[in-house]
Amino acid sequence: MTQPAATQTRIPFLDLAAMHDEVADALDAVWRDVVGSSAFIGGEHVERFEREWAAHLGRRHAVGVANGTDALELALRALGISAGAEVVLPANTFIATAEAIVAVGAKPIFVDVRPDTLLADAAGVEAALTSRTEAIIAVHLFGQPVDMDALMSVARRHGLPVVEDAAQAHGARWGERRAGAFGDVACFSFYPGKNLGAMGDGGAVVTDDAALAERVRSLGNHGRAAGSGQVHHIVGRNSRLDELQAAVLSAKLPRLDAWVDGRRAAAARYREVLASSPVEAVAEAPGAESSHHLFVVRAGNRDDLRSALAAQGIATGIHYQIPCHLQPAYSVYGHERLPVAEQAAAEIVSLPMFPHLVDEQVDRVGAALADLATAPEVLHAR
Ligand SMILES: *Cc1c(COP(=O)(O)O)cnc(C)c1O
């Protein structure tokens, strides 16, 4: 049996401090640089990070925006998605994916997901296409990339653009390429808790299409064209990555791959220790190299499992409790039941996951779950 919580340290859900310690000097320099320059919006740090982020992904263009939700909305707007058009997305994603579709006046078409990976696959997406579909959003949920070869070939066959929601997939790969390198356009969030996080909000849109990148930049900068000053060519808005956030991201980017390796090692250890417990980890498809943003397991009685872990000082989360098509604000778009996403929403638990999670911590989570195996009414294998 594991020790009672009182004698053990807590295991947090996410520990950002250990990452910040590794780049502490660079972060100090950032603060001095940006304050010293007195340039906070639009400047060398944003330009530099945009170049670095595009290069990291093997893409031609990256445009910094205010957050990941704006990245999705501006990408759809720049693609020219028309009012009343349909945009296909998985039912189980963070609500922002659906928000962006509604924000441009389009209709979200929620599709069900695969029971093993909890990702929408190409066949599921294709079945949801109609003559009104104008785009497909692929969500690399939990950091696991969608099969982008299959999805891009469906999209090409139907002449539809693909937007990647890669907000959880910094550092993930599908085959040889990074998540975010496949779609007509890909969107990232740098919310502090993401794999590459700012110290506030931030986001980016990446693409190989220069005209599309320029439209996103203009939309996020009040409709100005490059160098157009006070001439506003289109009706835009304000959505910009600021200098301080860009400089923080540049300071952290050199560590990203090592941090994802840390997550990967923790995930591998989880899979070992969970083999002797009655919970089941969400599967990783061959060809997918997850960024392990979240490590998600399924259990028959999720709430009891969470309480048992909490009693041992182990923090957990749920991503997400209610699938988008059942959210009150979205029920007007809701139609049929999506049984896989609905059942998963009732069973999923996200275990602690961060780059510096050590073996002993993973083992403690595993031991706590193994203890539950002796209480089958608390947990039953699916
Ligand atoms: C975090 C997230 C977003 C939104 O990003 P913000 O920067 O918080 O606006 C969008 N989609 C997914 C899948 C996310 O996890």
Side-chain angles (χ1 to χ4, degrees), residues 76-94:
L76 291 171
R77 229 178 256 293
L79 284 169
I81 304 307
S82 53
E86 295 180 353
V87 177
V88 174
L89 77 164
N92 61 333
T93 176
F94 181 54

Side-chain angles (χ1 to χ4, degrees), residues 156-306:
R156 293 296 174 248
R157 200 154 64 239
H158 293 269
L160 293 169
V162 171
V163 177
E164 291 178 75
D165 180 343
Q168 302 186 359
H170 322 66
R173 288 175 195 271
W174 172 254
E176 294 299 305
R177 284 150 77 193
R178 291 187 190 268
F182 292 87
D184 297 81
V185 54
C187 300
F188 287 88
S189 163
F190 304 115
Y191 178 82
K194 308 290 187 183
N195 282 20
L196 181 63
M199 295 186 162
D201 278 310
V205 175
V206 302
T207 180
D208 293 330
D209 179 337
L212 189 72
E214 203 37 57
R215 277 200 297 283
V216 170
R217 193 179 293 288
S218 176
L219 283 167
N221 193 22
H222 302 294
R224 293 183 181 102
S228 77
Q230 298 209 5
V231 183
H232 305 275
H233 296 274
I234 53 176
V235 178
R237 44 176 289 208
N238 177 359
S239 181
R240 298 178 294 223
L241 183 66
D242 65 67
E243 282 283 281
L244 198 53
Q245 300 310 332
V248 165
L249 292 167
S250 283
K252 292 173 84 177
L253 179 55
R255 300 294 305 143
L256 174 61
D257 283 339
W259 287 339
V260 172
D261 285 345
R263 291 173 180 272
R264 189 164 290 132
R269 184 97 180 175
Y270 265 128
R271 288 190 191 280
E272 273 173 45
V273 301
L274 292 180
S276 56
S277 94
V279 304
E280 192 185 326
V282 169
E284 218 176 311
E289 216 177 286
S290 178
S291 71
H292 298 289
H293 175 60
L294 295 168
F295 191 86
V296 178
V297 299
R298 300 176 68 161
N301 197 333
R302 176 259 306 284
D303 297 330
D304 291 347
L305 180 150
R306 294 191 75 205

